[in-house]
Amino acid sequence: MKLFSFEKIIMLLEQYWQKFLLEGVGYTLSMAAITVAFGAIFASLIALLKMSKIAPFRWVSNVYIEIIRGTPMLLQLYIFYFALPMLIPVLNKQKYVCVCIALICNSAAYLSEVIRSGIQAVDGGQTEAALSLGFNSRKTMWYIVLPQAIKNILPALANEFIMIIKDTSLASTFFIGDVMTQCLLVKGATYLPIEPMIIVAVIYFVLTFTLSKIVGAFERRMSRGYKR
């Protein structure tokens, strides 16, 4: 008995290409983009709190980071999926929004460390020079430190986008509409266990491989910019 059939794979692509490629990839990429965009904003706030001179702010950020990084993402998805509608009734039946919020909170905990290290990698002498020229702390951070830190942070953000694309497969637990969800739906409709998973594996590989090459080219271009 064959493990899988290429003929069946072609048949599935002919019948369900719209579900796999249009709906599935669209949901997956949109979730990844929303997660990284809003996660970066939230992570910036957490990073600033962690670098704050006010001890309670540092404690809160440390506790948040440790809790998120110390618990499985799937567990966090379950908690946000069921708890958010109870706390915010308007989110009732908004599965996509609840899952996106969970992914954002998870991603922010990891990105905050990336952003913090990017900010701290900027030469401290430049901060001292800006302060001596009359800049206050806020303007120094906004006009001097952050523009340079972004160069260190952007490659990591791009890599986080690639990681989130794979992590969105966990959202299929709630049938959000991503690529893995489409795989489960096609498996249920056709009773083919292997062929849909092979198609999904190829889709994930093409997405991540293509984006990793783009990120690599972007990093090389930025490194050449540094040398100039």
Side-chain angles (χ1 to χ4, degrees):
M1 182 177 179
K2 290 184 179 180
L3 182 62
F4 64 91
S5 169
F6 286 107
E7 291 79 9
K8 292 179 181 178
I9 292 176
I10 294 172
M11 180 270 292
L12 289 177
L13 286 173
E14 290 176 348
Q15 292 185 7
Y16 297 100
W17 68 271
Q18 186 172 4
K19 278 187 172 294
F20 279 124
L21 298 179
L22 297 184
E23 295 182 27
V25 173
Y27 270 97
T28 295
L29 291 179
S30 67
M31 276 198 296
I34 290 171
T35 298
V36 173
F38 287 94
I41 296 172
F42 188 25
S44 300
L45 175 61
I46 297 171
L48 292 175
L49 290 177
K50 190 166 184 178
M51 293 186 296
S52 173
K53 296 179 181 179
I54 303 174
F57 288 169
R58 296 197 303 271
W59 298 338
V60 169
S61 61
N62 282 325
V63 168
Y64 176 82
I65 291 171
E66 293 303 323
I67 290 175
I68 294 297
R69 295 174 66 175
T71 54
M73 182 185 288
L74 184 58
L75 176 62
Q76 296 166 23
L77 287 170
Y78 272 110
I79 292 173
F80 276 85
Y81 182 81
F82 291 110
L84 276 181
M86 297 179 185
L87 298 174
I88 310 174
V90 73
L91 292 179
N92 191 27
K93 297 183 180 179
Q94 298 292 328
K95 297 191 294 183
Y96 181 84
V97 176
C98 293
V99 169
C100 282
I101 292 174
L103 291 173
I104 288 168
C105 292
N106 180 276
S107 179
Y110 293 91
L111 286 177
S112 64
E113 293 297 284
V114 173
I115 293 172
R116 182 179 62 84
S117 61
I119 291 173
Q120 292 179 339
V122 177
D123 186 6
Q126 299 192 39
T127 300
E128 295 176 1
L131 293 174
S132 66
L133 291 173
F135 282 69
N136 57 31
S137 299
R138 182 178 62 82
K139 288 185 177 180
T140 300
M141 177 63 69
W142 185 257
Y143 293 108
I144 305 298
V145 177
L146 284 181
Q148 299 179 72
I150 287 174
K151 294 181 180 179
N152 301 324
I153 296 168
L154 280 178
L157 283 177
N159 285 313
E160 178 69 9
F161 181 69
I162 296 172
M163 294 297 297
I164 289 296
I165 286 176
K166 293 184 290 184
D167 290 340
T168 55
S169 61
L170 294 174
S172 63
T173 307
F174 310 103
F175 289 87
I176 298 301
D178 60 296
V179 173
M180 197 63 192
T181 296
Q182 303 303 335
C183 173
L184 296 176
L185 293 175
V186 172
K187 282 173 62 179
T190 61
Y191 299 100
L192 296 174
I194 303 298
E195 287 81 1
M197 289 192 292
I198 293 175
I199 294 173
V200 167
V202 172
I203 291 173
Y204 276 118
F205 175 77
V206 170
L207 287 175
T208 56
F209 181 79
T210 303
L211 288 171
S212 65
K213 291 301 179 182
I214 293 173
V215 171
F218 176 69
E219 290 178 348
R220 288 192 296 272
R221 184 172 181 179
M222 287 186 67
S223 64
R224 288 198 297 268
Y226 291 151
K227 293 178 182 179
R228 293 177 185 175

